[in-house]
């Protein structure tokens, strides 16, 4: 079981680095073409990426007592992910005065797709 968990850790570590590169690249591309919506787009990307990072940390990289159930850790991680997502989306809408809603949700949905697609592809492709 330890081999499978260590392999999953490596896949998610690579996935997070790839997603971080995508965030930087996509933000630069958007800033070149539409500088006025860059912060809204970046806010959407981060509103999806940061909760995913918290979830991956909670499941794979946090020190836990041996008697804690893996399902308990999974449910708590998912709950924290949803809570952080709600906080970040509400903060984006409340604190950003010139929020472009379309750019925000394009970034948010784009990162949701990558959050699911990249770990799946890494599990199928041996890199």
């Amino acid at each position: 079981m330890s081999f499978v968990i260590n392999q999953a850790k490596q896949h998610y570590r690579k996935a997070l680095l790839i997603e971080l590169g995508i965030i930087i690249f996509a933000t630069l591309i958007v800033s070149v073409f539409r500088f006025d919506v860059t912060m809204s787009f970046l806010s959407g990307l981060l509103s999806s990426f940061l909760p995913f990072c918290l979830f991956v940390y909670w499941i794979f990289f946090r020190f836990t007592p041996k008697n804690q159930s893996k399902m308990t850790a999974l449910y708590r991680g998912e709950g924290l992910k949803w809570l952080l997502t709600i906080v970040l989306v509400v903060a984006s809408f409340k604190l950003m005065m010139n929020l472009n809603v379309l750019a925000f949700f394009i970034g948010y949905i784009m990162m949701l797709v990558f959050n699911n697609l990249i770990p799946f592809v890494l599990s199928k492709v041996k890199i």
Side-chain angles (χ1 to χ4, degrees):
M1 186 66 160
S2 178
F3 174 74
V4 173
I5 292 174
N6 285 334
Q7 189 177 18
K9 282 182 183 181
Q10 295 303 319
H11 285 295
Y12 277 100
R13 198 175 272 142
K14 288 178 188 177
L16 290 175
L17 289 174
I18 291 170
E19 288 181 30
L20 188 60
I22 289 171
I23 287 173
I24 292 168
F25 181 72
T27 303
L28 288 174
I29 294 297
V30 168
S31 69
V32 166
F33 292 107
R34 291 283 314 263
F35 187 74
D36 57 327
V37 300
T38 302
M39 289 306 293
S40 299
F41 182 72
L42 180 62
S43 178
L45 289 172
L46 292 178
S47 292
S48 181
F49 177 69
L50 294 177
F52 183 66
C53 289
L54 175 66
F55 177 74
V56 169
Y57 168 76
W58 191 266
I59 296 299
F60 292 116
F61 300 104
R62 183 180 61 93
F63 176 74
T64 59
K66 295 294 179 191
N67 60 0
Q68 184 180 12
S69 167
K70 296 293 182 192
M71 289 306 293
T72 303
L74 180 75
Y75 287 132
R76 284 188 181 156
E78 193 64 33
L80 287 172
K81 179 180 163 184
W82 277 106
L83 181 65
L84 184 58
T85 301
I86 292 167
V87 167
L88 290 173
V89 169
V90 168
S92 295
F93 276 83
K94 285 286 193 183
L95 300 177
M96 293 183 69
M97 298 302 165
N98 296 327
L99 182 74
N100 184 318
V101 177
L102 181 62
F104 175 85
F105 281 111
I106 287 173
Y108 182 80
I109 292 170
M110 185 177 110
M111 194 49 57
L112 279 180
V113 169
F114 285 130
N115 284 347
N116 293 305
L117 185 65
I118 291 174
F120 176 74
V121 169
L122 286 177
S123 70
K124 299 298 179 192
V125 176
K126 302 298 180 208
I127 296 178

